[in-house]
Amino acid sequence: MNGAQYIVQTLKQQGVTQIFGYPGGAIMPLYDALYDGGVDHLLCRHEQAAALGAVGYARASGQVGVCMATSGPGATNLITGLADAMLDSIPVVAITGQVPMAAIGTDAFQEVDVLGMSLSCTKHSYLVENVEDLGDIIAEAFEVARSGRPGPVLIDVPKNIQVAPVEPRATVPCTTAPNTLDEAALAEAKALLAAARQPVLYVGGGVGMANAEAELRAFAEQSGIPAVTTLKGIGTLNPDHELFLGMLGMHGTKAANLAVQQSDLLMVVGARFDDRVTGKLDAFAVNARVIHLDKDAAEFGKVRHAHVGIDAELTEVLPRLTGERLAIDPWREQCRALKDEHQWRYDHPGEGIFAPLMLKQLSEALDDTAMVSCDVGQHQMWVAQHMRFTSPRNHLSSAGLGTMGFGLPAAIGAKLARPEHESVLVSGDGSFMMNVQELGTLKRAQLPVKMVLLDNQRLGMVRQWQELFFDGRFSETILTDNPDFVAMAAAFGIPGETITRKEQVQPAIARMLQSDTAYLLHVRISEEENVWPLVPPGVANDQMMESKA
Amino acid sequence: MNQHNLQIEAQFRPEVLERVLRMTRHRGFRVDDMEMSTSADCQNLNIRVTVSSERPIQLLSNQLAKLMNVTRVEAHIMEQPLKKSA
Ligand SMILES: Cc1ncc(C[n+]2csc(CCOP(=O)(O)OP(=O)(O)O)c2C)c(N)n1
């Protein structure tokens, strides 16, 4: 057996059944080993999409996503996907080919110091120097990727290592020691909860990553604390619960932001006070004490002081805090009233399609198992605001990095992870073009991914900021020269249609969902529509701008 | 500007010093002084670094402690700043 075959064998031992990648010179031995190696590989049309496909797969399934690429340009193309995984704490293992050891450092053909390049956007990275180490390194890489705060890990494998003969041996099982719960901190947290008059539960993506939704919902239900989520926390809480106030932050709901601003205690679970969430930090929930629960202790006090920080598995610590119904009836009433007062409004003049309403209708046409991926921009915020999610694994949105081009590869990865569930993409005309070549991948793999393209002929979110904060100077955000998207999909063998008027929406959604192949629903919307409400930069979260209409 | 001494122990890997320095810079700390030595068996590294920043040192020490090959991080406030900040 050679190193490349050893890699495939070890990947199989790790339970890997699907890889996303793109071949090239320095990784050809590994592709040769894959040829009849018994692991499925999806040929993407760009390495960035391979990495983002692995991210989508990991997010939808909860498994480690795996991608691979050749040295040099292949590896550099992966980097954006790894950075995306890093900022959203997604477990991904990337394997890159490298020039032979003897050529490293000579500026050889397609040589790039990928290890050096990856240092800032992976949880850890390896350069394999001995073929015997391959098995242990891969096993360790998977453990690092999925344990603690999950994240991306890169393994750079020189070509000579891939072809070197090796005697496979059992890999050393790699485990991380469990933390013991800090009883004193737990008692302090309980005391803070009992003393609070206006507490809010602030839920991030860490809960889903830790598979702790059930424990979190039990805590929320028992304690009766009004709750909000971050963008990545969407789906974690029951969306229909009367005390669930929606997303907080820049494009959050008014109810969520007002409740957080008025709170005297924030119980932060698996979240990290991102600046898109806090707005002006000095003015964020100024009267609130903070209980912070996270698997990554380095988050405590990083941005906001935590009165109590508990570094523990959420599945363990949440049940220990569950039990008491808090005596906060007036606050509950106040939050319910906030929620009632600030409902979304879908009345909209004219014949044209109003994207928020269309997304609500799309959501109503899907069942609870459907996965929705989106790109970055206005449409992304409308998805977060107006679609209904019952699991964080069903809302695939590039939150931390905000990667345009994320949506299509993520939707492909999600469909491969859960073929029995609907995979829907909601994209913008700018973002769609960033990984449009993956229509080829979709066709190749015959995946029935449903694509809704909200076309405002603009880089909408940037245009909105130009309108509001740059005196309407629309510098390089006008895309009236977009291609004919339906014809373009057709060129890839994918059917679709264009709609422009309100009354076309429902039947078009039905046609799309009935299609048993991939489908592009091209939706023309007004270029003037903005995302509301909005916390302007440098302002407190209770100073939200709202639609003038 | 506060000055701190960090004592860092790490397993020897060719890139571990790079990891530590990258993290230090990126998290907003300036390296004022530094010493590094390798254990007799070449398996471990000892790094002593004096850093300065407006930020609390825990911000850096917690992140350094998370690095895979770093085994121990200790932070001490400097009694007497080595150099005046610019
Ligand atoms: C790779 C990348 N480049 C640039 C940006 C900055 N950016 C954020 S939103 C946006 C516009 C997105 O336009 P579109 O995809 O058409 O979506 P819309 O806002 O119109 O819904 C841009 C350029 C980004 N997030 N990612």
Side-chain angles (χ1 to χ4, degrees):
Chain A
M1 170 174 286
N2 67 18
Q5 290 159 334
Y6 190 26
I7 292 175
V8 175
Q9 179 185 313
T10 318
L11 289 175
K12 282 202 283 194
Q13 282 165 4
Q14 288 297 327
V16 174
T17 55
Q18 180 68 56
I19 297 173
F20 301 80
Y22 203 98
I27 201 163
M28 283 187 66
L30 185 48
Y31 271 86
D32 187 62
L34 275 178
Y35 186 71
D36 48 8
V39 183
D40 287 333
H41 174 279
L42 181 67
L43 175 68
C44 298
R45 294 306 177 89
H46 192 302
E47 290 87 351
Q48 184 188 106
L52 293 172
V55 167
Y57 183 91
R59 293 180 82 138
S61 67
Q63 309 290 310
V64 177
V66 180
C67 55
M68 55 177 65
T70 191
S71 66
T76 58
N77 278 348
L78 280 185
I79 290 285
T80 301
L82 297 181
D84 186 90
M86 185 72 178
L87 283 186
D88 278 346
S89 308
I90 308 299
V92 166
V93 169
I95 300 176
T96 44
Q98 181 55 282
V99 301
M101 297 266 299
I104 292 180
T106 66
D107 305 324
F109 176 65
Q110 295 196 327
E111 185 200 350
V112 156
D113 174 19
V114 178
L115 176 69
M117 188 177 273
S118 70
L119 288 180
S120 57
C121 65
T122 57
K123 197 175 163 189
H124 194 64
S125 12
Y126 301 86
L127 172 66
V128 182
E129 292 173 308
N130 284 304
V131 67
E132 287 82 20
D133 298 341
L134 261 176
D136 288 346
I137 287 181
I138 292 174
E140 188 176 273
F142 274 78
E143 182 59 22
V144 172
R146 67 183 149 221
S147 65
R149 177 181 186 155
V153 178
L154 179 124
I155 309 172
D156 200 27
V157 192
K159 194 168 182 178
N160 62 302
I161 302 278
Q162 295 174 47
V163 296
V166 62
E167 222 22 80
R169 57 186 168 84
T171 53
V172 185
C174 172
T175 47
T176 29
N179 275 2
T180 45
L181 260 180
D182 180 345
E183 295 293 334
L186 211 58
E188 236 180 296
K190 283 184 181 168
L192 282 178
L193 279 167
R197 297 282 70 94
Q198 310 205 140
V200 170
L201 182 60
Y202 158 3
V203 175
V207 179
M209 303 306 303
N211 283 319
E213 292 105 287
E215 288 82 358
L216 183 85
R217 287 184 182 203
F219 172 81
E221 191 56 49
Q222 282 268 310
S223 62
I225 302 186
V228 303
T229 71
T230 65
L231 179 61
K232 234 195 111 194
I234 285 176
T236 311
L237 284 155
N238 174 2
D240 306 323
H241 198 285
E242 56 172 1
L243 290 173
F244 177 59
L245 305 177
M247 180 170 78
L248 83 165
M250 183 175 277
H251 290 295
T253 66
K254 210 162 173 192
N257 279 332
L258 292 177
V260 167
Q261 286 303 82
Q262 291 164 25
S263 69
D264 65 356
L265 176 71
L266 280 179
M267 174 147 158
V268 185
V269 190
R272 62 188 171 95
F273 296 99
D274 184 89
D275 50 284
R276 280 289 191 270
V277 160
T278 62
K280 186 170 189 254
L281 189 60
D282 302 342
F284 178 68
V286 282
N287 297 318
R289 292 172 169 247
V290 170
I291 301 173
H292 200 164
L293 311 184
D294 206 295
K295 194 68 206 92
D296 181 0
E299 289 301 328
F300 303 147
K302 187 185 83 178
V303 174
R304 168 78 183 245
H305 173 70
H307 297 83
V308 181
I310 306 181
D311 162 22
E313 290 298 340
L314 297 176
T315 45
E316 274 176 49
V317 64
L318 284 166
R320 295 289 307 278
L321 291 167
T322 306
E324 302 280 298
R325 181 146 184 100
L326 302 183
I328 50 167
D329 280 341
W331 175 237
R332 279 187 201 107
E333 240 355 280
Q334 211 175 315
C335 288
R336 271 188 217 113
L338 276 176
K339 185 172 173 173
D340 281 350
E341 192 184 333
H342 302 288
Q343 296 285 341
W344 296 118
R345 291 186 51 184
Y346 296 101
D347 42 335
H348 188 260
E351 293 288 295
I353 295 171
F354 182 46
L357 176 60
M358 148 135 211
L359 291 174
K360 181 170 180 283
Q361 291 169 319
L362 172 64
S363 196
E364 284 161 2
L366 295 168
D367 68 32
D368 275 357
T369 62
M371 304 169 282
V372 179
S373 304
C374 57
D375 270 293
V376 175
Q378 296 180 309
H379 66 277
Q380 176 190 31
M381 292 300 120
W382 286 326
V383 166
Q385 293 174 334
H386 304 286
M387 295 187 79
R388 188 180 159 281
F389 294 95
T390 55
S391 161
R393 300 215 183 291
N394 293 345
H395 177 233
L396 280 61
S397 188
S398 172
L401 192 66
T403 313
M404 286 174 74
F406 172 87
L408 182 51
I412 290 173
K415 189 67 190 172
L416 281 173
R418 286 163 43 191
E420 68 282 15
H421 296 154
E422 194 81 74
S423 178
V424 179
L425 165 71
V426 178
S427 189
D429 49 319
S431 296
F432 192 65
M433 292 291 278
M434 280 226 180
N435 271 318
V436 69
Q437 75 287 342
E438 298 310 311
L439 288 174
T441 309
L442 209 52
K443 183 63 184 173
R444 179 186 180 91
Q446 301 284 337
L447 294 172
V449 169
K450 308 298 160 58
M451 298 171 280
V452 175
L453 177 51
L454 296 177
D455 181 1
N456 51 10
Q457 303 204 331
R458 295 293 183 280
L459 293 172
M461 186 59 97
V462 181
R463 186 211 62 80
Q464 174 169 348
W465 278 56
Q466 288 172 334
E467 177 195 323
L468 299 175
F469 310 120
F470 290 88
D471 298 329
R473 290 154 56 86
F474 297 114
S475 178
E476 303 295 335
T477 51
I478 297 174
L479 300 179
T480 42
D481 50 357
N482 272 330
D484 178 338
F485 286 111
V486 171
M488 186 169 66
F492 284 94
I494 295 170
E497 64 178 304
T498 297
I499 57 172
T500 56
R501 293 193 321 280
K502 272 180 183 152
E503 76 273 9
Q504 295 174 299
V505 166
Q506 299 270 26
I509 289 175
R511 275 192 296 278
M512 173 178 78
L513 294 180
Q514 273 152 20
S515 149
D516 49 14
T517 67
Y519 194 93
L520 178 71
L521 179 54
H522 174 230
V523 185
R524 286 193 184 280
I525 59 171
S526 159
E527 73 277 9
E528 284 170 2
E529 209 58 66
N530 284 335
V531 182
W532 303 113
L534 161 72
V535 180
V539 160
N541 275 358
D542 43 13
Q543 313 285 306
M544 301 189 85
M545 290 172 73
E546 288 178 279
S547 165
K548 291 185 196 79
Chain B
M1 224 23 133
N2 287 321
Q3 213 167 28
H4 288 89
N5 241 328
L6 285 173
Q7 198 69 49
I8 301 161
E9 283 172 24
Q11 294 161 313
F12 176 82
R13 291 289 313 156
E15 76 284 2
V16 72
L17 185 62
E18 206 174 327
R19 282 187 202 280
V20 167
L21 291 176
R22 191 205 73 77
M23 180 71 79
T24 305
R25 171 185 55 76
H26 176 66
R27 296 288 175 179
F29 291 77
R30 188 180 74 188
V31 175
D32 293 328
D33 193 43
M34 189 178 130
E35 251 169 44
M36 192 199 91
S37 59
T38 318
S39 62
D41 59 1
C42 292
Q43 296 292 302
N44 295 295
L45 286 184
N46 262 304
I47 305 168
R48 189 198 57 73
V49 39
T50 306
V51 295
S52 50
S53 177
E54 301 289 353
R55 299 183 175 185
I57 190 70
Q58 289 74 19
L59 195 67
L60 177 60
S61 57
N62 288 341
Q63 297 292 343
L64 287 171
K66 274 201 313 189
L67 291 177
M68 278 284 294
N69 301 124
V70 168
T71 43
R72 208 167 68 92
V73 181
E74 247 182 59
H76 307 282
I77 187 140
M78 291 282 291
E79 294 297 334
Q80 282 217 300
L82 272 184
K83 294 169 197 145
K84 281 264 181 306
S85 57

